[in-house]
Amino acid sequence: MKKTKINNIRNIGIIAHIDAGKTTVTERILYYTGRSYKIGEVHDGEAVMDWMPDEQERGITITSAVTTCQWKQREIQLIDTPGHVDFTIEVERSLRVLDGAIGVFCAVGGVEPQSETVWRQADKYKVPKIAFINKMDRVGADFPGTVEMMKKRLNANPLILQLPVGKEDTFSGVIDLIGMKKIVWDDETLGANYATEEIPDDLRDEAKHYRDQLVEALSDYDDSIMEAYLSESPITEEMIVQGIRKATVELKLVPIFCGSALKNKGIQPLLDAIVHYLPSPEDVPPIKGIVPDTDEVVECPPRDKAPLAALIFKVSMIEGRKLSYVRVYSGILKAGSEVYNPARKQKEKLSRILLMHANKRERIDEAAAGSIVGVVGLKDSSTGETLCNVDHPILLEKMEFYEPVISVAVEPKTHGDQEKLEQVLEKYMSEDPTLRVKQDEDTGQTILSGMGELHLEIIISRMRREFNTNVNVGRPQVVYRETIGKQAEATAIFDREVAGQRHYGEVKIQLIPRGRGKGNEFQSKVSAEIIPDVFLPAIEKGVMESFESGSLMGYPVMDVKAILTGGSFKESVGTDLAYTVSTSMACKEALSKGEPFLLEPIMSVEIFVPDSFMGDVIGDLNSRGGKIESINPKANIQEIKAIVPLSSMFGYSTNLRSSTQGRGTFTMQFSHFDQRG
């Protein structure tokens, strides 16, 4: 296989709200680049990138899929990510390893809640972006309105490079503001053929106005354009393209394109934009890591001859086999070679390296810097861990994972299912870091916790389908938190002989409630003469362990400050074990004295309803303990923003559909923990 030069590689992801058309855009990209011989449609369950049966049945993307295609001598490594809030982790871990992103926006819905979430995730990882405003053929399509929403909601600095010709059912093509031509697509060839024409007379003035705005905006970021602009010298297309690339890579501007993926319009200019404006691995700052057991920060230059530095950003269990998705930042990954995992301090053997195309794969001998590949053979390494050479160890920054907000109890139907259940859940947990499994000590049930009802529903569906594991599922339960309402303190002594050795430790702990979202904290106000500093880590460990299970209903404790105010120490018998246990005992007692109460997950809900149903929807939200934050009128519909306790939202989608004759839609994502108001 011919090796691609690193400056010809584009690692990009497609990010957006659910139903904005990400997978439809991806299918067209694969078709026009020659990667697919036919266009797979999401609504037919035939999209290449939505290969899982659950995705095909539901018409949504659940897991991020990786593929590679070629366009104009460039290799595009593409990740299609989910848009549903329950699968945010898939977007997070994809953005962690990407160099650029395409934000897809629905021209009717504009910037929707999950669009904001994924955009912020891309900002967090400093990923350069371009935007594609899709569904220009839909009733209610509003190109300028969507651009305006991007400014307000995303704090983006949009740079309009195309104008739509017509809208809704009259949408026929786009005006390219750089070449000042109209582009139209041929329906007979499913948009594979397209032609450039002169701009119609009635649109020429508008196009010139936007072209002037484009040049003016670029002159703020490019000196050569500024000089030419001020001296009224000609500004070439090449100067504009270079200026846009520089400003995009530096995260100063977001180029805006438009079209209709379903009607096969607008995709080829988007592919050109990926090649022209999004960075290669060489154009972004080299990733940094630290040398294990030191604080020394080192850079990993994107070169094949540099020491190996690669990050596992996803683990997938396909047909019971572990497949690890890896981004190679520097060095070369070779099939059959030995790599080192510094987080686990152990070596692993790579048996095979695979070039991925959704669920299809092609074996390759090595993966060079800038590659995104599948790896088979890693036994213990998991998501967020680094692979490197044993003689050049490096730890890349770990990934952050979200805490689950909803649980269900699962029970195996037969004895055979009981044996399979633990193994199957273990496989899914290694694949999905937002999934948690624990045993309820009181009932003996297995409790499955995740990011939402759909998340857990998909896991249970996959258990039945992929592993033939049949389970009974309990009603979804909310994952609460506990905190205290008043200051409390307690003293505890642990003085016992364990395995022939005496252990002694006495502590006095004071607990103070903190504001919502402040987190837990430990502080010592005791001098080293009373309790030596060497035992403080053991005492802090005891505090944090006791906070894992509250005194009220056993939920984790949050927003509490623990202060060590006293205690005692005995020479030769003071041990870490004694101080950890006595601290845990003191905390448990203080928690029960501190008037504990429950905090529940409060969700941020956004509802779109026709005007005529707004009163009913608001009345229903109020009855669920919701608080309306804002009502924004849009074309023929109202957008209601509210915060509602999660426990009141079970089954809401059915309720909303029936009360709005199927015309209302809503999205929901976790906001914060709080007491029901």
Side-chain angles (χ1 to χ4, degrees):
M1 197 175 111
K2 190 167 174 257
K3 187 174 177 302
T4 307
K5 285 184 178 174
I6 194 161
N7 60 351
N8 287 335
I9 292 174
R10 300 288 182 272
N11 288 320
I12 62 151
I14 299 195
I15 58 172
H17 185 88
I18 192 167
D19 277 349
K22 293 178 303 305
T23 304
T24 307
V25 168
T26 309
E27 291 300 316
R28 270 54 182 183
I29 286 174
L30 296 179
Y31 181 66
Y32 300 136
T33 57
R35 194 70 174 83
S36 297
Y37 67 92
K38 72 180 185 100
I39 295 175
E41 299 293 11
V42 175
H43 52 264
D44 295 334
E46 291 180 358
V48 173
M49 302 300 270
D50 286 354
W51 57 270
M52 285 171 62
D54 280 296
E55 293 178 314
Q56 291 165 350
E57 282 175 11
R58 297 163 195 266
I60 61 169
T61 303
I62 292 167
T63 179
S64 51
V66 182
T67 190
T68 307
C69 55
Q70 306 282 334
W71 184 256
K72 296 190 174 173
Q73 287 81 54
R74 305 295 198 282
E75 183 177 292
I76 299 171
Q77 297 184 132
L78 181 70
I79 299 182
D80 175 29
T81 66
H84 197 286
V85 64
D86 284 14
F87 309 105
T88 302
I89 186 61
E90 288 287 332
V91 187
E92 178 92 14
R93 56 188 177 186
S94 299
L95 286 168
R96 171 72 171 78
V97 297
L98 291 170
D99 302 322
I102 301 169
V104 178
F105 298 92
C106 169
V108 182
V111 178
E112 295 167 287
Q114 189 63 5
S115 304
E116 290 184 57
T117 304
V118 296
W119 198 269
R120 279 198 302 272
Q121 287 171 309
D123 283 342
K124 178 168 111 182
Y125 292 116
K126 295 186 168 50
V127 177
K129 299 169 283 290
I130 55 180
F132 181 70
I133 297 175
N134 192 25
K135 304 191 180 183
M136 285 304 306
D137 59 310
R138 288 268 300 274
V139 174
D142 183 359
F143 178 77
T146 304
V147 173
E148 221 30 61
M149 283 176 82
M150 287 180 68
K151 289 179 188 172
K152 286 180 185 164
R153 291 199 177 181
L154 306 176
N155 291 325
N157 194 359
L159 184 72
I160 296 172
L161 300 188
Q162 288 182 345
L163 293 177
V165 178
K167 67 173 185 176
E168 300 178 352
D169 55 354
T170 63
F171 176 68
S172 60
V174 301
I175 291 171
D176 169 22
L177 295 175
I178 298 176
M180 287 301 274
K181 295 283 182 186
K182 177 185 171 186
I183 306 174
V184 290
W185 280 265
D186 174 21
D187 291 336
E188 294 292 316
T189 60
L190 295 176
N193 294 338
Y194 58 101
T196 55
E197 302 173 354
E198 291 303 314
I199 297 172
D201 292 342
D202 58 330
L203 294 174
R204 199 165 284 141
D205 288 346
E206 185 186 7
K208 188 177 181 309
H209 168 70
Y210 275 98
R211 160 75 181 223
D212 291 343
Q213 278 193 344
L214 161 66
V215 173
E216 200 175 312
L218 277 180
S219 66
D220 290 342
Y221 304 102
D222 190 289
D223 292 342
S224 60
I225 293 177
M226 169 71 86
E227 285 167 23
Y229 182 68
L230 293 174
S231 62
E232 297 184 0
S233 306
I235 297 170
T236 65
E237 285 186 32
E238 191 181 338
M239 286 168 68
I240 290 177
V241 168
Q242 285 177 352
I244 296 170
R245 179 178 178 79
K246 182 171 176 285
T248 305
V249 170
E250 291 174 359
L251 304 170
K252 289 172 179 167
L253 293 172
V254 178
I256 307 286
F257 297 84
C258 61
S260 166
L262 192 63
K263 296 289 170 68
N264 310 312
K265 293 177 169 64
I267 301 301
Q268 291 92 338
L270 186 65
L271 277 162
D272 290 341
I274 292 169
V275 165
H276 291 144
Y277 308 132
L278 288 179
S280 75
E282 278 188 332
D283 299 322
V284 292
I287 193 164
K288 292 177 180 173
I290 59 164
V291 178
D293 305 322
T294 74
D295 291 329
E296 185 192 346
V297 178
V298 287
E299 286 189 345
C300 305
R303 292 199 302 269
D304 296 352
K305 290 182 179 173
L308 175 67
L311 184 79
I312 302 167
F313 67 95
K314 176 177 170 168
V315 171
S316 190
M317 305 301 290
I318 297 175
E319 294 161 5
R321 297 198 65 182
K322 184 175 176 180
L323 174 68
S324 303
Y325 288 82
V326 173
R327 160 75 194 255
V328 184
Y329 285 100
S330 64
I332 293 181
L333 209 56
K334 293 186 178 177
S337 67
E338 203 171 59
V339 290
Y340 181 63
N341 180 335
R344 296 178 183 267
K345 292 187 164 55
Q346 68 186 61
K347 294 174 184 175
E348 292 256 38
K349 183 85 177 279
L350 302 180
S351 55
R352 280 182 288 161
I353 298 176
L354 307 166
L355 199 60
M356 304 301 298
H357 177 49
N359 62 330
K360 299 179 179 67
R361 56 204 84 155
E362 175 191 335
R363 284 181 76 158
I364 54 176
D365 295 327
E366 60 180 43
S371 305
I372 293 176
V373 291
V375 168
V376 178
L378 300 177
K379 288 190 173 68
D380 300 316
S381 300
S382 65
T383 305
E385 293 179 351
T386 308
L387 301 177
C388 58
N389 300 125
V390 71
D391 51 348
H392 282 96
I394 184 170
L395 272 169
L396 301 176
E397 184 188 349
K398 287 207 76 158
M399 296 160 77
E400 294 173 9
F401 301 124
Y402 300 91
E403 287 299 312
V405 294
I406 192 167
S407 298
V408 291
V410 289
E411 290 176 344
K413 284 190 175 177
T414 67
H415 184 66
D417 292 325
Q418 170 73 53
E419 290 174 357
K420 273 195 285 186
L421 182 63
E422 283 180 31
Q423 297 170 350
V424 170
L425 289 177
E426 207 170 294
K427 284 177 177 170
Y428 286 136
M429 278 200 297
S430 69
E431 185 178 298
D432 184 349
T434 58
L435 190 68
R436 304 274 199 283
V437 176
K438 72 168 188 179
Q439 294 293 126
D440 188 311
E441 291 174 11
D442 298 329
T443 63
Q445 288 176 312
T446 300
I447 307 294
L448 198 59
S449 304
M451 299 300 292
E453 281 184 276
L454 181 63
H455 184 200
L456 297 178
E457 204 180 299
I458 298 287
I459 292 291
I460 288 153
S461 166
R462 286 182 63 196
M463 279 165 59
R464 290 171 176 153
R465 198 192 299 266
E466 294 171 18
F467 293 97
N468 202 23
T469 308
N470 293 307
V471 291
N472 294 317
V473 182
R475 188 175 172 273
Q477 298 292 319
V478 176
V479 179
Y480 292 92
R481 295 287 186 272
E482 294 184 21
T483 192
I484 55 173
K486 70 168 190 179
Q487 196 168 304
E489 64 180 17
T491 304
I493 298 174
F494 183 84
D495 186 1
R496 199 171 298 169
E497 198 169 288
V498 180
Q501 183 191 347
R502 188 177 167 208
H503 296 263
Y504 176 88
E506 180 188 11
V507 294
K508 187 176 185 181
I509 297 285
Q510 183 182 51
L511 299 184
I512 300 172
R514 305 183 79 200
R516 291 295 75 81
K518 295 284 187 186
N520 295 329
E521 188 187 337
F522 169 72
Q523 184 186 353
S524 171
K525 289 188 176 176
V526 170
S527 68
E529 287 81 44
I530 297 172
I531 298 176
D533 291 348
V534 71
F535 295 114
L536 292 183
I539 293 170
E540 183 171 4
K541 182 186 172 196
V543 168
M544 295 310 166
E545 283 179 357
S546 68
F547 285 174
E548 286 172 11
S549 175
S551 59
L552 203 58
M553 293 175 72
Y555 291 110
V557 175
M558 65 183 283
D559 300 335
V560 175
K561 182 175 185 175
I563 303 172
L564 177 64
T565 56
S568 64
F569 164 71
K570 288 185 180 177
E571 195 70 53
S572 77
V573 291
T575 63
D576 282 351
L577 171 70
Y579 281 108
T580 299
V581 175
S582 59
T583 303
S584 188
M585 290 158 58
C587 282
K588 293 283 183 200
E589 188 183 334
L591 283 169
S592 59
K593 287 181 184 174
E595 294 179 0
F597 60 90
L598 287 181
L599 297 171
E600 60 181 318
I602 307 294
M603 310 304 281
S604 176
V605 183
E606 206 158 295
I607 305 153
F608 296 88
V609 289
D611 296 347
S612 53
F613 299 107
M614 195 171 74
D616 293 344
V617 170
I618 289 174
D620 181 47
L621 283 173
N622 289 333
S623 72
R624 293 170 186 267
K627 289 179 184 166
I628 309 297
E629 293 194 312
S630 67
I631 299 171
N632 305 312
K634 293 191 166 191
N636 304 321
I637 60 165
Q638 299 284 345
E639 176 196 46
I640 303 167
K641 285 188 172 185
I643 55 169
V644 192
L646 173 61
S647 55
S648 306
M649 292 300 288
F650 292 132
Y652 183 67
S653 54
T654 309
N655 194 291
L656 181 68
R657 275 198 297 272
S658 61
S659 65
T660 60
Q661 296 171 12
R663 293 165 67 195
T665 60
F666 84 106
T667 61
M668 175 172 80
Q669 61 193 63
F670 173 73
S671 171
H672 61 283
F673 280 99
D674 210 343
Q675 208 171 1
R676 189 183 278 250

